[in-house]
């Protein structure tokens, strides 16, 4: 992080970062003064809150997190001098039900995600995954989620592509809200 920004958006990984940047680009939202920081995993959130937040560089913070990992975010914000109470969203931190990929799959629907996969030439590998014994009886949405998380760079590449495939009224709420909070 360069230190030139006034807002740091903390996200778990590079794919979440790509999704936030893709949404900003789609909306022609200038990110002047906003840095989207991939933390390399949610367990690093305390370090980034301490380094970048009020007790560190004094930046305003916002972020995305998976609902199952809320405790890490809450603890990090409290240790960093922020008191979230019951409302993390009031501090600019927005939870995804499962994770951002799941939010994007649900927003687009299985058929449209499959169309993106097909357009990328990955329908064959996806069909291969569907035939694996552990995947055969799972819902297609769950199979797509697994597919996006497998393969080198696939999650990162599809984060941008799925955001680009959304209509404006389909953007998952956590993603839309974190960008709105970052832009103030």
């Amino acid at each position: 992080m360069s230190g030139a920004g006034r807002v740091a958006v903390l996200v778990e990984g590079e794919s979440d970062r790509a999704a936030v940047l893709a949404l900003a680009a789609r909306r022609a939202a200038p990110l002047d003064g906003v840095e989207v920081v991939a933390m390399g995993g949610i367990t690093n959130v305390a370090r980034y809150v301490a380094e970048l937040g009020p007790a560190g560089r004094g930046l305003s913070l916002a972020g995305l997190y998976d609902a199952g990992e809320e405790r890490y975010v809450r603890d990090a914000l409290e240790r960093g001098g922020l008191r979230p109470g019951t409302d993390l969203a009031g501090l600019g931190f927005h939870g995804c039900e499962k994770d951002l990929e799941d939010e994007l799959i649900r927003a687009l629907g299985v058929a449209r995600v499959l169309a993106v996969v097909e357009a990328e030439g990955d329908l064959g590998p996806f069909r291969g995954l569907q035939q694996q014994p552990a995947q055969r009886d799972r819902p297609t949405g769950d199979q797509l989620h697994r597919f996006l998380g497998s393969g080198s760079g696939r999650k990162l590449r599809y984060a941008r592509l799925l955001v680009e495939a959304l209509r404006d009224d389909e953007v998952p709420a956590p993603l839309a809200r974190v960008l709105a909070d970052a832009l103030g």
Side-chain angles (χ1 to χ4, degrees):
M1 180 141 188
S2 70
R6 63 184 190 283
V7 178
V9 177
L10 306 179
V11 296
E12 186 172 345
E14 289 296 335
S15 64
D16 296 338
R17 182 176 186 278
V20 171
L21 294 175
L23 182 60
R26 259 186 79 123
R27 293 187 170 174
L31 291 178
D32 302 332
V34 176
E35 291 200 46
V36 182
V37 180
M39 299 181 295
I42 197 66
T43 57
N44 294 319
V45 67
R47 182 183 115 211
Y48 283 96
V49 168
E51 287 178 12
L52 304 175
R57 295 187 190 166
L59 302 178
S60 295
L61 300 175
L64 283 176
Y65 63 93
D66 303 343
E69 298 170 337
E70 180 177 319
R71 70 186 183 281
Y72 295 110
V73 176
R74 183 174 300 286
D75 291 347
L77 293 173
E78 287 175 1
R79 282 186 300 212
L82 302 166
R83 299 283 178 222
T86 59
D87 184 24
L88 291 179
L91 292 176
F93 284 79
H94 302 280
C96 297
E97 207 169 289
K98 182 176 180 182
D99 59 22
L100 187 54
E101 290 76 25
D102 181 65
E103 295 274 352
L104 292 169
I105 291 167
R106 284 187 294 111
L108 283 166
V110 167
R112 287 176 51 214
V113 175
L114 283 171
V116 172
V117 170
E118 184 174 22
E120 286 299 298
D122 284 339
L123 196 55
F126 174 69
R127 296 294 185 214
L129 177 133
Q130 285 185 302
Q131 297 309 309
Q132 295 175 1
Q135 297 297 324
R136 287 185 192 142
D137 296 329
R138 296 181 73 202
T140 306
D142 291 347
Q143 293 170 337
L144 282 165
H145 189 271
R146 174 70 181 118
F147 179 74
L148 295 178
S150 65
S152 179
R154 188 178 289 152
K155 192 173 177 181
L156 177 61
R157 180 167 50 105
Y158 276 96
R160 178 185 56 80
L161 294 168
L162 295 180
V163 168
E164 289 172 353
L166 292 165
R167 293 187 306 264
D168 281 337
D169 64 341
E170 295 175 321
V171 176
L175 181 59
R177 288 179 186 143
V178 78
L179 181 61
D181 287 348
L183 297 173

